[in-house]
Amino acid sequence: MSRYQRNRGAGSPTNPAGPVYGVISTLDDASPSPADFARCSSPEAKKSELSLFLNWGGPHKNMEINPKPRNRSWVVDVLAIFFGIGTWLGVNGTFIQLPLLVDEAPEGWSLPSYLSVMVQIGNLGPLLYTAIQKYSPKKLNDGWTIHGVLLVGAISCLLTAFFYNKTASVAGTDHSLALFLLTCFTALNACTSSVLFMPYMGRFKEQYMVTYFIGEGLSGLLPSVTALIQGIGESGDCVLVNVTESGEGVYELQKTPPRFDTRVFFLILFALMVLAYVGYTLLNSLPLARKEYAQVTVSEGNKYVYGEADNQPKAEKLSKGQYTYLLLLIGAISLFSNGMFGSIQSYSSAPYGSQAYHLSATLSVIANPVACFMAMFLHFTSLRIITVLSILAGLLTSYVFTTAALSPLPPLHDQTVGAVLVVTAWTLLVGIVSYTKLGITTVMRAQGGQSLVWVGAITQLGSAIGAVAIFFAINYSDLFQAAQSNC
């Protein structure tokens, strides 16, 4: 057994006595004994089952406002942000670069559907990792595994910069084989991060999970900002290219060439992946970072048992029903947010104009890290608040799906108020979803055991189901019709 403990005095934490291993356990392993899942006895025992299930009016604080963040190391905050950037950076960057990639790829605009399949192949990473940790007598060292996963992501971005436009003949048809293979390795880094990076952050004090999620949000924001600087997303101009015999002008939409090409874009992503690798290396080795470990005992890898610390809130044990409810909830949220939202956003907002589409895409990406940053000051662990936010997210999801399904003529498509509504809906939706996911993760972290590993696994499962479902809905049904950008 390896122990990471924080001394009660002024001393520094002890160094780990041995390597850290990870094992996927059953749900009951999230607490020291099955009895911990029993509903805690309290004066509220006579309340309704629903009231107890949601901790309605529970004895703990549902929400606390922290104008001054808790005692923390800003160096560890920055390193945690760098570490979080190395999660979905490569995958997000590849899809953001699609407007340029499709111009060179032989697949044309069917390229996104191919890449979506390649990303799902990346789920073999977490499956292989969990299988080895559960069934192999020799377990993987989580510290070195994270090094390897980050290196795979960085090298994939570097190679993509030079081979993204290389094609090969498959069954007599040219395909972007190099891009497909490199996207698989990029997705391997992204998908595995859900079951490896987040549980690793569980050994730190609770507040550093928030800054890690800020970094994960930046893994989408930074490629978007880079693409905006590059010039992707500019609407272009309608240029007169010909005149018919009847004297009618023939116009063609011509876009301004990007300020730098796809190779430079992926080299920038490679530099950011190197930054993430350096951030993790320092986070894992600096004595300053080790001082920020929670009072936690680590056994069998990422199976945590938290002790009581003076500056950490005392967590109540969830009942088995509450535990399962949160896992199913984050799985459902991931199914839509990770698996579907990116695929339907253009159908939902493009009919309201190119400006509405680019605003909804940009502001929704910004909403992710902003929501996580807010959680540093507005902290909550109440199942009631999580449920209310989830219901609100469900209503907004219904609205954006309705506009997408009714494309190219959704309600108010020819009015300014329609554009304002769809941009506001997308921005609020992504912000609320990010805030809710962070709240669920914070609650699950406090349960110890393999809770964060389960959260990561269920997140990936939900994302995969959502991505496959929306792939078939878009490509093999008439449910979604694209709005054409004409002059």
Side-chain angles (χ1 to χ4, degrees):
M1 176 181 292
S2 301
R3 293 179 180 270
Y4 293 87
Q5 294 177 325
R6 184 176 61 82
N7 294 343
R8 295 187 182 274
S12 61
T14 59
N15 289 328
V20 180
Y21 302 111
V23 178
I24 293 297
S25 62
T26 62
L27 291 179
D28 289 342
D29 284 333
S31 56
S33 67
D36 288 327
F37 282 112
R39 187 173 289 112
C40 299
S41 59
S42 69
E44 300 182 348
K46 296 182 179 180
K47 289 189 175 182
S48 68
E49 290 295 320
L50 180 60
S51 177
L52 284 170
F53 183 77
L54 297 178
N55 285 344
W56 216 272
H60 63 284
K61 291 182 179 180
N62 291 334
M63 177 173 286
E64 52 186 76
I65 299 176
N66 299 317
K68 293 183 180 180
R70 298 170 186 160
N71 182 28
R72 65 198 306 151
S73 168
W74 291 103
V75 173
V76 178
D77 276 321
V78 172
L79 295 179
I81 289 173
F82 288 169
F83 182 37
I85 290 173
T87 52
W88 288 87
L89 182 77
V91 171
N92 289 332
T94 300
F95 279 88
I96 288 169
Q97 198 68 186
L98 277 175
L100 297 184
L101 291 175
V102 295
D103 290 337
E104 298 187 49
E107 295 82 6
W109 271 106
S110 64
L111 180 64
S113 57
Y114 283 94
L115 293 182
S116 296
V117 175
M118 299 302 112
V119 170
Q120 299 315 309
I121 293 175
N123 280 307
L124 293 175
L127 289 176
L128 180 62
Y129 167 77
T130 54
I132 292 175
Q133 300 300 71
K134 188 172 180 67
Y135 300 111
S136 174
K138 292 185 178 181
K139 313 299 181 185
L140 293 173
N141 180 293
D142 284 355
W144 288 109
T145 304
I146 293 175
H147 278 289
V149 168
L150 285 172
L151 282 175
V152 168
I155 294 173
S156 297
C157 288
L158 178 62
L159 294 178
T160 303
F162 296 97
F163 296 99
Y164 70 91
N165 56 356
K166 305 299 181 183
T167 62
S169 179
V170 179
T173 305
D174 284 343
H175 284 287
S176 305
L177 190 60
L179 181 61
F180 293 167
L181 293 176
L182 290 169
T183 300
C184 287
F185 285 104
T186 303
L188 187 70
N189 163 80
C191 297
T192 309
S193 69
S194 295
V195 297
L196 195 58
F197 293 12
M198 188 166 53
Y200 171 82
M201 290 302 300
R203 70 190 62 188
F204 288 88
K205 295 175 185 177
E206 180 183 337
Q207 57 262 35
Y208 297 110
M209 185 66 74
V210 177
T211 46
Y212 166 79
F213 269 90
I214 292 176
E216 188 171 296
L218 291 176
S219 72
L221 177 61
L222 293 178
S224 297
V225 172
T226 304
L228 288 175
I229 297 172
Q230 184 184 17
I232 290 181
E234 295 180 357
S235 57
D237 299 315
C238 288
V239 178
L240 179 65
V241 294
N242 200 358
V243 178
T244 64
E245 294 181 357
S246 60
E248 295 181 1
V250 178
Y251 293 87
E252 183 178 286
L253 183 64
Q254 294 184 357
K255 295 184 179 181
T256 306
R259 295 177 179 87
F260 51 86
D261 62 11
T262 299
R263 174 170 298 178
V264 175
F265 179 86
F266 278 103
L267 288 176
I268 293 173
L269 296 190
F270 168 69
L272 291 172
M273 284 299 301
V274 171
L275 182 66
Y277 181 82
V278 172
Y280 166 71
T281 301
L282 295 176
L283 194 65
N284 194 45
S285 59
L286 284 181
L288 174 65
R290 291 183 180 273
K291 290 181 181 179
E292 297 303 310
Y293 283 150
Q295 184 181 342
V296 58
T297 300
V298 185
S299 62
E300 297 180 330
N302 289 321
K303 186 177 178 182
Y304 300 146
V305 177
Y306 293 99
E308 295 182 10
D310 295 336
N311 62 341
Q312 294 292 105
K314 185 177 180 180
E316 294 182 354
K317 285 295 178 182
L318 298 175
S319 70
K320 192 169 184 177
Q322 292 168 337
Y323 193 93
T324 304
Y325 166 71
L326 288 180
L327 286 179
L328 292 176
L329 183 59
I330 199 167
I333 290 173
S334 300
L335 183 147
F336 288 100
S337 63
N338 298 350
M340 295 187 175
F341 284 171
S343 299
I344 70 163
Q345 191 169 36
S346 59
Y347 294 96
S348 170
S349 52
Y352 295 93
S354 59
Q355 186 177 17
Y357 172 50
H358 297 307
L359 275 176
S360 66
T362 304
L363 293 179
S364 61
V365 169
I366 294 174
N368 189 323
V370 168
C372 295
F373 181 76
M374 286 176 56
M376 295 175 62
F377 304 94
L378 194 61
H379 182 76
F380 73 95
T381 56
S382 167
L383 268 68
R384 173 179 60 179
I385 297 175
I386 289 172
T387 302
V388 170
L389 290 176
S390 300
I391 293 173
L392 181 57
L395 294 174
L396 291 170
T397 299
S398 299
Y399 175 75
V400 298
F401 260 87
T402 299
T403 57
L406 295 178
S407 175
L409 299 174
L412 304 174
H413 67 278
D414 55 349
Q415 299 182 33
T416 303
V417 66
V420 172
L421 285 175
V422 78
V423 171
T424 303
W426 273 107
T427 305
L428 288 176
L429 175 59
V430 174
I432 292 172
V433 163
S434 301
Y435 195 57
T436 306
K437 288 169 66 177
L438 180 55
I440 295 174
T441 304
T442 301
V443 173
M444 296 298 285
R445 172 201 174 277
Q447 302 306 304
Q450 291 289 101
S451 297
L452 289 180
V453 179
W454 277 106
V455 169
I458 296 298
T459 296
Q460 281 307 113
L461 178 62
S463 302
I465 294 174
V468 172
I470 203 66
F471 172 81
F472 283 101
I474 290 175
N475 291 282
Y476 296 99
S477 75
D478 296 328
L479 184 60
F480 300 99
Q481 300 292 332
Q484 301 296 328
S485 297
N486 299 318
C487 293

